Amino acid sequence: MASPSRSGAFQEAVDRRVERFTESVSFDQRLFRQDVAGSIAHARMLQAQGILTESEASSIEKTLREIESEIEAGSFPLRIELEDIHMHIEHALIERLGDVGRKLHTGRSRNDQVSTDFRLWVREALDRVDERLLALQRAFVARCALDEQVILPAYTHLQRAQPVMAAHYWLAYCEKLERDRERVADCRRRVNRSSLGAAAVAGTSLNIDRGHTAEALGFEHVSANSLDISSDRDFAVESVFVLSVIALHLSTWAEEWILWSTVEYDFIQLPHAFCTGSSIMPQKVNPDVLELTRGKTARVIGDLQTMLVLLKALPLAYNRDLQEDKPAVFDAFDTVEAMLELAEPIVAGSRLKVESINARLDRGFLDATTLMEFLIKRGMPQRSAHHAVGALVKAAMTNGKRLQDLPLSQFQELDPSLGDEVYEVLGVTKAVEAFVSYGSTAPTQVANQVRSWNDRLANGATERRTPAEIS
Ligand code: ARG
């Protein structure tokens, strides 16, 4: 079967090994819907420009739709001689329509065609990711009501640091996911530019209308430089970067919950439908989904690396290397979409083991910093208060006590004017209540944040406070 791209210039048939090495249909078949959409838009534009007749454009559209249904149904044979999905579709069109089919590629090259299809695919995929991010945010926000009174230890250096409301924890992830959504939206703007009509590299001498196709395909802008856009893959790198950051966030969450689900922490019960067992140890309920969320993050970062190295030092404009962009981009999307799909039911279906958490909240001196700030409020310089509380912690630790167990006389050694009010900031509950700053874990602050997140997720609006609004 002769490939439509082999012109009369060739003196011999292509070597079979070359076909095997250079084909892309094994992976770019995923672009068939976008290819059909792009080709229909192109044909209708050619009609509007008087290059195709109405009946030619209509039979092209009808036949392309038939081909699309056949590919969808799995009844359309794919063969490497035809290199990629774009050639397959055009070849089938020509087989069915003869000369009319031979007109479709007028004023177009596979270079701008591939780029257009790929942009359409990435645009849809970004929208799916955004929906999944939103669903995960909803799951975290729903947890806030469920865990309303729960206090958790917050860690720095994985050492117990300060007490926080559980909702503060959940909203921390909502914030991260919100930045992910901002990045998705921002990246989408650069994806959503039309390259169709840039042709091979320099544009075309035919009277095409690039605005027409751009509009039909829902692109926001028409790229202004054919030499630039025919080989531009910034949008693809960027989308994989955006996915990498999402994966990083998910890996942090996964790692945290893996730890929390251990006997050592005993903070969380993961839903058993999302856990796996061991073939030898009958007692095991393993967090494999979380582990693979952590593990598959490596693939996504690898895909980003692939994209960056692929593009490094490529001369303008199209080079065949660019074909290698698709496996990396598809893999990054597939991986992150699967991670998000599982994260949502795990977040929704897990339960904090409140008794076990509470039983050890008094350990680790989570209230030490609040005590220090209490002394600062009474006029003690920060460094002195830091030192003094450190000494109290040492004394308490030596005797296996908590700060609130120390007698008043011991506090009065720091400041003879101290009275019983010192006990008002000791213990995790009181320590949490002592917080006041914007963005802190103060229960009123957290309640406001929960309310604002519920509103935001209900009406889709993002909220950002300016410094003036906070002061
Ligand atoms: N299969 C190729 C790809 O996906 C098609 C490129 C066509 N352009 C070319 N000049 N050979 O990138």
Side-chain angles (χ1 to χ4, degrees):
M1 174 185 319
S3 157
S5 71
R6 269 181 105 71
S7 72
F10 287 86
Q11 293 180 357
E12 54 184 344
V14 67
D15 190 291
R16 187 74 182 154
R17 288 167 295 188
V18 172
E19 286 181 337
R20 272 202 296 271
F21 188 64
T22 60
E23 66 85 23
S24 55
V25 69
S26 54
F27 49 88
D28 66 19
Q29 54 185 278
R30 294 180 69 164
L31 298 175
F32 76 94
R33 285 195 193 85
Q34 292 74 17
D35 196 67
V36 166
S39 289
I40 291 174
H42 183 67
R44 289 300 180 189
M45 179 278 291
L46 292 175
Q47 174 204 338
Q49 295 302 97
I51 300 171
L52 290 181
T53 65
E54 203 286 320
S55 94
E56 286 173 332
S58 291
S59 42
I60 288 176
E61 173 162 356
K62 186 169 158 279
T63 311
L64 285 172
R65 291 268 178 242
E66 281 163 18
I67 295 169
E68 184 179 30
S69 317
E70 287 165 31
I71 301 177
E72 217 150 302
S75 58
F76 186 90
L78 301 171
R79 37 182 95 102
I80 59 166
E81 306 90 274
L82 288 174
E83 185 182 313
D84 55 30
I85 193 64
H86 320 287
M87 300 296 256
H88 274 79
I89 294 175
E90 191 189 353
H91 184 265
L93 190 75
I94 294 171
E95 261 182 352
R96 296 169 198 201
L97 297 181
D99 273 348
V100 173
R102 283 189 190 91
K103 291 184 181 181
L104 173 65
H105 212 50
T106 306
R108 181 178 85 166
S109 147
R110 253 187 314 155
N111 297 349
D112 58 338
Q113 184 182 357
V114 168
S115 155
T116 303
D117 297 356
F118 200 22
R119 282 169 187 274
L120 292 173
W121 191 93
V122 171
R123 189 177 72 187
E124 280 173 39
L126 284 175
D127 290 347
R128 285 197 303 272
V129 166
D130 188 57
E131 264 176 46
R132 289 204 187 283
L133 287 169
L134 177 62
L136 185 53
Q137 283 183 317
R138 293 213 157 99
F140 273 118
V141 171
R143 288 215 62 94
C144 293
L146 203 67
D147 306 322
E148 210 184 345
Q149 302 304 327
V150 181
I151 293 174
L152 290 168
Y155 296 80
T156 63
H157 314 269
L158 215 50
Q159 302 289 325
R160 286 194 167 207
Q162 292 187 281
V164 292
M165 303 297 294
H168 202 51
Y169 232 115
W170 309 146
L171 295 187
Y173 281 105
C174 280
E175 294 286 343
K176 290 182 195 302
L177 298 170
E178 187 67 10
R179 290 194 296 276
D180 291 334
R181 295 188 64 204
E182 287 171 13
R183 264 184 291 271
V184 166
D186 193 46
C187 170
R188 192 187 193 280
R189 289 173 39 232
R190 278 175 293 280
V191 171
N192 205 18
R193 291 179 187 169
S194 181
S195 36
L196 196 55
V201 60
T204 170
S205 59
L206 298 165
N207 180 29
I208 59 169
D209 178 354
R210 297 191 56 207
H212 185 293
T213 42
E215 205 168 320
L217 295 168
F219 286 116
E220 204 179 345
H221 298 283
V222 180
S223 61
N225 185 312
S226 62
L227 187 56
D228 160 46
I229 206 72
S230 56
S231 62
D232 164 45
R233 291 295 184 276
D234 298 2
F235 75 93
V237 185
E238 223 181 312
S239 65
V240 182
F241 170 73
V242 168
L243 294 170
S244 300
V245 180
I246 296 172
L248 290 183
H249 287 156
L250 293 177
S251 74
T252 293
W253 159 75
E255 167 67 2
E256 203 151 61
W257 281 26
I258 290 167
L259 290 172
W260 286 11
S261 67
T262 59
V263 169
E264 285 71 16
Y265 273 80
D266 202 31
F267 279 11
I268 205 158
Q269 172 79 55
L270 302 171
H272 279 193
F274 296 87
C275 294
T276 49
S278 153
S279 57
I280 178 165
M281 296 167 284
Q283 85 282 16
K284 296 297 289 291
V285 178
N286 290 328
D288 292 34
V289 174
L290 296 176
E291 291 168 273
L292 282 169
T293 295
R294 188 177 59 185
K296 283 173 191 274
T297 298
R299 295 171 66 122
V300 183
I301 294 167
D303 292 329
L304 178 60
Q305 178 89 339
T306 299
M307 288 302 295
L308 291 169
V309 178
L310 179 66
L311 297 176
K312 178 192 167 292
L314 265 195
L316 292 185
Y318 181 85
N319 293 275
R320 191 60 182 274
D321 315 44
L322 289 179
Q323 179 176 293
E324 289 291 315
D325 58 1
K326 276 155 222 84
V329 170
F330 291 154
D331 182 67
F333 273 103
D334 290 347
T335 308
V336 170
E337 286 187 64
M339 285 170 158
L340 287 168
E341 184 183 15
L342 285 161
E344 195 253 335
I346 293 178
V347 168
S350 296
R351 290 294 166 259
L352 283 180
K353 297 172 104 174
V354 181
E355 264 178 42
S356 162
I357 293 166
N358 285 347
R360 287 164 298 151
L361 267 184
D362 276 342
R363 293 168 62 177
F365 302 96
L366 293 165
D367 50 0
T369 307
T370 323
L371 173 61
M372 176 193 76
E373 290 180 344
F374 171 80
L375 297 174
I376 292 171
K377 281 189 257 180
R378 295 176 57 92
M380 198 181 280
Q382 192 270 344
R383 283 291 161 224
S384 317
H386 183 266
H387 185 81
V389 175
L392 281 179
V393 165
K394 190 168 142 198
M397 216 158 17
T398 322
N399 301 313
K401 290 193 165 146
R402 305 168 303 175
L403 286 173
Q404 73 243 52
D405 301 328
L406 299 177
L408 184 60
S409 57
Q410 225 163 329
F411 292 102
Q412 282 170 339
E413 280 169 27
L414 308 177
D415 175 353
S417 69
L418 266 177
D420 277 343
E421 67 276 11
V422 67
Y423 294 103
E424 287 310 306
V425 294
L426 297 178
V428 284
T429 310
K430 287 174 178 162
V432 160
E433 279 163 5
F435 285 93
V436 292
S437 59
Y438 175 78
S440 75
T441 197
T444 49
Q445 287 283 338
V446 174
N448 284 341
Q449 298 275 344
V450 172
R451 207 170 315 117
S452 118
W453 269 104
N454 273 313
D455 291 350
R456 278 154 76 169
L457 295 183
N459 62 29
T462 32
E463 183 211 74
R464 286 286 166 266
R465 296 278 178 93
T466 62
E469 283 168 329
I470 292 160
S471 301

